[in-house]
Amino acid sequence: MIELELVVAAREPVAAGVIQLTLRHPVGDPLPGWEPGAHIDLVLRPDLVRQYSLCGDPADRSSWSVTVQREPDGRGGSRLAHDELTPGTVVRVRGPRNHFGLANAARYLFIAGGIGITPIKPMLAAADVAGADWRLLYGGRTRATMAFGGELQRRYGDRVQLCPQDEAGLLDLDSWLGTPAIDTLVYCCGPEPLLDAVQERCRTWPPEVLHLERFAPVAADSAGGSDNGFEIELALTGQTLAVPPDRSILQVVEEAGIPALSSCREGTCGTCETGVLDGVPEHRDSLLGGDADDVMLICVSRSRTPRLVLEL
């Protein structure tokens, strides 16, 4: 995992309650490359780490850009970012990581809600350069709260449909998703009600078509899994640890003094992704598919077998 100390080079408002931060290396070194859909961790404090999608130009290695929406009722990360990340501030950053990559397709339907536009924005540019046929449906509470809305309309014209709720009501998902389209991928990021609505309307589409990025964990389905204890073997040391029903793998590993990166601790960011060398994990996260038996997120996922061998 790449970890850097970067400087806030610029800060500007991009919508009501939303700022864009530009991050650069202190001595101007080029930053690691990334692709649309990637995000980074901002280590705001040792015990406060938050994930933000990169929304700039992947070809520009001189800086990274993220947008932060102030959440008055949130857990404190956005308030700290708004109040303390000013030009000249040094912030520790991890990443980038990408669990929302843009696959090749002839056509795309992009659907964004609120700050969910941030990972979608560089996807539009990539799809445009590739010559793909695409459209964006972008909803928000009001036009003033919709970051990049005017910019995207000016750049892409009628391929971008802005739908402020106070002007147009809820997004017309039925007209966009009512009939499965050939050779088309659907990418959606936004609040949970929007994701649930899109997922419901895509049930008649081929399963590989829909790509979602969530801000919050989905409800875990533990059917066939283990809420009982199990064992893990750490392949790098040969150590065996017991994971009781009321503890996560991550907690047990940390209590044993084994270094393990983590961030969200709720299965949404991917920081704690760990290789599985033997045994069958039970995925309770919001990122990995049920068939991904060679990796798992140890902050929430458990085991379908009495023992797991992990690449730790």
Side-chain angles (χ1 to χ4, degrees):
M1 173 70 65
I2 298 172
E3 190 162 329
L4 301 168
E5 285 193 343
L6 302 183
V7 175
V8 178
R11 164 191 168 123
E12 62 177 319
V14 290
V18 183
I19 57 172
Q20 178 171 276
L21 301 173
T22 301
L23 308 174
R24 297 185 186 273
H25 193 278
V27 297
D29 288 352
L31 299 179
W34 60 279
E35 295 182 350
H39 70 268
I40 57 174
D41 296 343
L42 295 188
V43 184
L44 302 170
R45 288 179 181 160
D47 61 344
L48 187 61
V49 182
R50 294 292 181 266
Q51 295 75 46
Y52 296 101
S53 296
L54 292 168
C55 61
D57 179 3
D60 182 2
R61 300 283 296 276
S62 68
S63 67
W64 286 340
S65 295
V66 297
T67 58
V68 183
Q69 177 175 275
R70 181 185 282 274
E71 299 284 358
D73 300 323
R75 295 175 295 171
S78 69
R79 292 195 301 275
L80 190 151
H82 272 252
D83 295 342
E84 299 187 16
L85 294 187
T86 55
T89 304
V90 176
V91 61
R92 184 166 291 277
V93 178
R94 296 175 186 156
R97 293 188 307 280
N98 199 341
H99 292 279
F100 192 48
L102 184 66
N104 292 328
R107 299 176 183 83
Y108 299 95
L109 295 179
F110 296 105
I111 301 173
I115 200 65
I117 191 62
T118 53
I120 299 293
K121 181 172 176 275
M123 291 183 178
L124 304 182
D128 204 52
V129 168
D133 179 14
W134 63 266
R135 291 187 296 154
L136 167 67
L137 179 63
Y138 177 16
R141 295 190 304 277
T142 67
R143 194 174 294 270
T145 65
M146 297 171 66
F148 310 118
E151 172 190 335
L152 295 174
Q153 272 198 326
R154 289 190 296 272
R155 182 174 181 181
Y156 299 117
D158 59 8
R159 282 182 290 177
V160 173
Q161 182 175 339
L162 299 185
C163 296
Q165 189 172 346
D166 64 337
E167 299 176 22
L170 297 177
L171 297 181
D172 184 8
L173 296 177
D174 289 330
S175 65
W176 277 59
L177 301 172
T179 302
I182 298 173
D183 298 329
T184 301
L185 296 182
V186 179
Y187 279 79
C188 180
C189 183
E192 287 302 301
L194 173 62
L195 300 184
D196 291 343
V198 169
Q199 197 165 26
E200 179 61 32
R201 284 163 176 81
C202 284
R203 290 191 185 280
T204 59
W205 293 57
E208 68 277 5
V209 160
L210 180 59
H211 300 259
L212 303 175
E213 181 161 71
R214 298 182 179 275
F215 300 147
V218 295
D221 178 8
S222 60
S226 172
D227 278 320
N228 299 315
F230 55 94
E231 287 188 342
I232 56 171
E233 179 182 331
L234 310 184
L236 301 184
T237 65
Q239 189 174 359
T240 297
L241 302 172
V243 181
D246 62 342
R247 309 295 283 171
S248 70
I249 296 175
L250 178 61
Q251 289 172 321
V252 168
V253 166
E254 289 177 332
E255 290 163 2
I258 308 298
L261 284 177
S262 67
S263 178
C264 71
R265 307 181 82 91
E266 57 184 16
T268 60
C269 75
T271 303
C272 67
E273 183 176 304
T274 300
V276 178
L277 303 179
D278 193 28
V280 181
E282 182 215 323
H283 299 293
R284 297 191 181 185
D285 59 86
S286 303
L287 290 177
L288 301 177
D291 296 329
D293 287 342
D294 59 339
V295 293
M296 68 185 301
L297 302 189
I298 61 174
C299 64
V300 293
S301 295
R302 299 187 69 79
S303 179
R304 293 184 179 275
T305 51
R307 184 182 183 88
L308 290 174
V309 180
L310 302 180
E311 204 168 358
L312 283 172

